[in-house]
Amino acid sequence: LGAVPMQAVGGVRYVKTDLTAEGFSQTQGMFAPVEEDNSYDDWLPSLNVTFEVQPDLLVRGAFAKVMRRPDFGQLSPAILANQDSTFATRGNPRLEPFRATQYDVSVEKYWGDGNLLSAALFYKDVASFFDETEICLNSPSLVAVSNANRRDELCFLDGRGGNPSRDPAVTPDSQIGIPTQTQINGDSGSIKGFELGYQQAFTFLPGAFSGLGISTNYTYSDSEDPNGRPLEDISKHTFNVTGY
């Protein structure tokens, strides 16, 4: 680029996912098989560019779209009902994967024999967050064996409020579902921050000690889900110190 040497690597990846999730519905000690299908497509472009500002000073930039599928437990269609068949939990085979568009810029200064000082900025625009929610599950087999004395804890499939009647002649079972906790895809969020790195070989030490060295890095991550809460499993401060 002008007088600055540059390297660029770009490409695109196509991912097609076909999913069949199988499990069992459990209520009052009985099990019944359940199965659900899902499919989706992803185009994932990426670009990495490196500028050799000086032979020992590099500036890198990167852009990529990425995806990560939900865990197996999150996709399980298995339904676990309480003893009275008035409440249940299950996974959601219809969950879409995490999808993110991420950007990175870094500066790397090299010197001596394997020494490095680096600084990087990153930003990730994350879509398809997973949110806990409660749905009214259409499960006639569970409704049929639900505790008649706790029928008011069930829900209406059409979303209306109020308590289902205990008299099936007044409120047919076909209109009633089981309150069920599951996960759905939520809105977008973000992860942004910076990383600092330092690596030094102690070649100035005498004899066998000249083979010693140290590698350290520190990362600050500021994450936010659609509700303004920090994301799970992402520490705000992370550091590593390694001697070799």
Side-chain angles (χ1 to χ4, degrees):
L1 186 65
V4 179
M6 181 189 75
Q7 274 190 343
V9 178
V12 63
R13 184 162 62 103
Y14 170 68
V15 181
K16 177 174 177 58
T17 302
D18 291 311
L19 166 72
T20 298
E22 299 175 344
F24 290 89
S25 169
Q26 179 189 17
T27 177
Q28 297 182 335
M30 303 296 291
F31 293 87
V34 290
E35 178 180 311
E36 195 166 333
D37 299 322
N38 194 12
S39 64
Y40 45 83
D41 303 87
D42 289 277
W43 289 94
L44 305 174
S46 65
L47 177 65
N48 294 271
V49 182
T50 302
F51 299 94
E52 188 178 320
V53 179
Q54 297 176 1
D56 57 359
L57 180 63
L58 302 180
V59 176
R60 302 182 189 272
F63 155 81
K65 287 191 173 183
V66 297
M67 59 87 82
R68 183 181 74 81
R69 297 180 183 87
D71 297 330
F72 286 123
Q74 295 172 309
L75 294 171
S76 171
I79 304 169
L80 180 61
N82 63 2
Q83 187 64 32
D84 294 305
S85 297
T86 56
F87 184 80
T89 59
R90 65 163 292 178
N92 182 5
R94 306 298 299 176
L95 277 177
E96 294 285 314
F98 278 110
R99 293 185 173 97
T101 303
Q102 54 190 32
Y103 307 88
D104 301 86
V105 177
S106 65
V107 179
E108 302 171 2
K109 172 67 175 177
Y110 296 87
W111 77 94
D113 221 3
N115 304 323
L116 165 68
L117 183 63
S118 65
L121 298 173
F122 59 86
Y123 177 81
K124 304 176 188 293
D125 182 12
V126 185
S128 305
F129 279 105
F130 302 148
D131 282 344
E132 294 284 347
T133 190
E134 186 175 295
I135 62 173
C136 190
L137 181 68
N138 185 7
S139 180
S141 60
L142 290 179
V143 172
V145 297
S146 61
N147 188 334
N149 295 321
R150 300 181 62 179
R151 191 177 175 90
D152 55 354
E153 297 178 14
L154 302 182
C155 54
F156 289 105
L157 293 173
D158 59 10
R160 62 182 141 144
N163 296 325
S165 167
R166 296 182 182 178
D167 184 357
V170 177
T171 307
D173 285 353
S174 60
Q175 299 179 14
I176 299 173
I178 304 293
T180 302
Q181 184 175 351
T182 187
Q183 288 187 318
I184 60 172
N185 289 106
D187 297 323
S188 61
S190 64
I191 305 170
K192 55 184 179 292
F194 64 88
E195 182 179 61
L196 303 175
Y198 171 69
Q199 181 172 302
Q200 173 78 57
F202 300 148
T203 55
F204 53 84
L205 294 177
F209 294 105
S210 64
L212 299 178
I214 190 171
S215 177
T216 68
N217 64 68
Y218 165 77
T219 301
Y220 171 81
S221 295
D222 183 20
S223 62
E224 188 175 272
D225 72 4
N227 298 312
R229 298 187 299 258
L231 301 180
E232 294 183 359
D233 302 323
I234 297 182
S235 298
K236 180 163 284 190
H237 304 280
T238 307
F239 66 89
N240 296 278
V241 179
T242 304
Y244 65 87

